[in-house]
Amino acid sequence: MSKFKFSVGPWNVHEGADAFGPSVRESIPLSEKIKKFKEIGFDAVQFHDDDVVPDMNDLSEAAIKQKAKEAKKVLDDHGLKAEFVAPRLWMDPRTIDGGFTSNDPKDREFALWRAFKSIDIAHELGCDKLVLWLAREGTLCYESKDPVLSVNRIVEAINEMLKYDKNIRVLIETKPNEPIDRSFCPTIGHAIALSYKTIDPNRVGALLESAHAILAGLDPANEIAFGIANKKLWSVHLNDQNGCKYDQDKTFGVENLRQAFNQIKILVENDYGRNGEYVGLDVKAMRTQKVDDCYRHLYNSLKIVKMLEDKVSQFDNSFKKKCQEERNYEALEMYVLELIMKG
Ligand code: 3MF
Ligand code: MG
């Protein structure tokens, strides 16, 4: 049993293509993935706009809403909710140089249109969260964009989204790099600062992904804590990452179990989820995984979260207090390691 509700995105079950090789698994239809997510134990699905409405750029407003309604029915049939919709702005030829921060006003207009349509789709799916993973809102060539203007352009774009729909909440998913070299909004602290520059800071928050924090050289548990302390942690993407390499999206806890334990500990101790927040998993199967077992990373991540919740429930706070009073952190550290390692 878990105290959390869990969510996952359809992109987490994928064809295995990487920067140096083609697909190795067949595509699985969305409806099949949704059925399987329910079976595995998920409560909600996270969507890119075009996961819900493929080829949306070529569709009318009415057709987009109709497609979204159909997706909602599939969710309802399986007893699943939609957690959020995110405009997929990093794939389109019009957003090669980013969306909201592109130097070309036509690109910026297209990016905003996708954000507005994502809000419409979210509305049809019955959710009030729009996630902005600002994938290409940064530079490959440092001098190619004005960084101050770019930050203000992101704020202006978010203002337009807030005006477009009075109920929508915008969550910035921060990441320091990849696919760009340097991002304009790399950490939770940046997202929170940015939220206060918008016209309605109460509706702008953050989504913390463990791997993205590690790529920034930061501790994901402390990033989670910073978000919670500011009442801005409205979603998480738990996963793991082996140091500063390409974005790995590994099964939660497989690289740094103590860091995973501490992420769960902070979430549990602060009653994360009490306002309906989900624990999202942004984990990818290894490229080597055969198609007949390509959901294994999801089962494993869920199992690891639940096992760590159990460890957190066993954590002896009075022993911690004693160690704090005696300033005996060697004892505390050994206690934590024994707790995690014992059967
Ligand atoms: C990239 C990511 C993204 C986001 C997704 C939803 C493709 O590193 O983490 O996954 O999570 O776009 O915002
Ligand atoms: Mg993510």
Side-chain angles (χ1 to χ4, degrees):
M1 268 306 283
S2 171
K3 78 184 285 284
F4 298 124
K5 287 188 301 173
F6 294 95
S7 62
V8 64
W11 62 86
N12 291 125
V13 180
H14 61 108
E15 296 78 9
D18 66 18
F20 298 98
S23 298
V24 291
R25 292 183 288 262
E26 293 291 309
S27 291
I28 299 172
L30 180 64
S31 55
E32 203 178 303
K33 288 183 187 177
I34 286 178
K35 182 166 176 270
K36 194 76 184 175
F37 291 158
K38 178 68 186 180
E39 250 173 64
I40 297 171
F42 286 95
D43 305 283
V45 184
Q46 315 175 336
F47 290 104
H48 292 134
D49 50 2
D50 56 3
D51 291 325
V52 186
V53 186
D55 304 318
M56 60 185 286
N57 293 337
D58 308 324
L59 299 181
S60 68
E61 199 159 307
I64 290 175
K65 287 187 179 167
Q66 183 50 39
K67 278 271 164 211
K69 278 194 174 75
E70 286 163 27
K72 170 81 164 69
K73 172 136 194 347
V74 180
L75 286 176
D76 287 348
D77 288 348
H78 292 94
L80 285 164
K81 301 275 183 213
E83 184 194 5
F84 67 66
V85 178
R88 190 181 342 228
L89 289 177
W90 50 96
M91 298 290 253
D92 199 276
R94 277 160 286 194
T95 50
I96 284 174
D97 195 23
F100 311 121
T101 65
S102 170
N103 288 318
D104 185 336
K106 287 205 283 304
D107 295 353
R108 298 201 297 275
E109 200 182 311
F110 170 72
L112 208 51
W113 179 80
R114 284 286 291 252
F116 291 163
K117 290 309 111 188
S118 295
I119 293 172
D120 291 349
I121 294 169
H123 194 74
E124 295 300 334
L125 296 180
C127 68
D128 66 352
K129 289 183 182 144
L130 181 81
V131 165
L132 300 180
W133 170 43
L134 301 169
R136 297 189 191 276
E137 312 303 354
T139 53
L140 294 175
C141 164
Y142 186 81
E143 296 78 8
S144 66
K145 287 182 188 170
D146 176 333
V148 176
L149 179 65
S150 296
V151 171
N152 289 329
R153 278 184 168 155
I154 296 171
V155 173
E156 278 161 30
I158 294 175
N159 284 344
E160 293 307 314
M161 297 169 215
L162 297 170
K163 283 189 239 164
Y164 182 79
D165 183 320
K166 281 193 291 300
N167 296 316
I168 201 72
R169 294 200 285 158
V170 178
L171 286 66
I172 302 173
E173 179 176 349
T174 53
K175 186 177 182 183
N177 63 297
E178 205 192 25
I180 37 77
D181 179 19
R182 295 175 178 90
S183 159
F184 294 129
C185 191
T187 71
I188 287 292
H190 289 81
I192 293 173
L194 209 138
S195 77
Y196 286 110
K197 282 171 63 63
T198 68
I199 53 173
D200 193 354
N202 288 331
R203 287 195 287 139
V204 184
L207 180 158
L208 186 275
E209 174 160 330
S210 325
H212 297 177
I214 296 165
L215 283 169
L218 298 171
D219 185 303
N222 270 5
E223 287 283 275
I224 285 173
F226 194 82
I228 290 175
N230 284 280
K231 299 191 167 44
K232 293 282 191 187
L233 191 77
W234 300 345
S235 189
V236 289
H237 272 174
L238 298 185
N239 57 16
D240 216 342
Q241 168 78 24
N242 179 22
C244 284
K245 299 182 178 146
Y246 62 96
D247 186 7
Q248 299 179 315
D249 296 329
K250 289 189 174 203
T251 294
F252 184 60
V254 295
E255 283 298 325
N256 190 334
L257 199 52
R258 183 178 177 189
Q259 203 170 54
F261 167 77
N262 280 312
Q263 289 173 72
I264 298 300
K265 186 165 178 288
I266 306 292
L267 292 172
V268 168
E269 286 174 352
N270 290 281
D271 207 10
Y272 175 85
R274 75 177 176 283
N275 304 310
E277 301 92 348
Y278 289 93
V279 168
L281 296 170
D282 200 359
V283 291
K284 307 269 186 323
M286 285 179 237
R287 189 168 190 265
T288 44
Q289 192 69 7
K290 290 181 184 164
V291 72
D292 54 7
D293 199 15
C294 66
Y295 292 87
R296 180 60 46 198
H297 60 304
L298 297 179
Y299 285 102
N300 290 351
S301 293
L302 273 184
K303 186 169 178 183
I304 291 167
V305 170
K306 288 174 188 170
M307 289 174 84
L308 288 173
E309 274 184 82
D310 184 49
K311 294 287 181 186
V312 169
S313 74
Q314 294 172 43
F315 188 83
D316 185 344
N317 277 305
S318 54
F319 182 70
K320 177 190 81 175
K321 194 157 175 292
K322 184 170 168 290
C323 292
Q324 286 173 331
E325 281 159 7
E326 293 170 0
R327 206 163 17 89
N328 191 348
Y329 299 163
E330 295 289 355
L332 180 57
E333 187 155 79
M334 194 59 193
Y335 165 70
V336 172
L337 268 290
E338 278 176 352
L339 175 67
I340 297 172
M341 287 194 282
K342 80 178 182 207

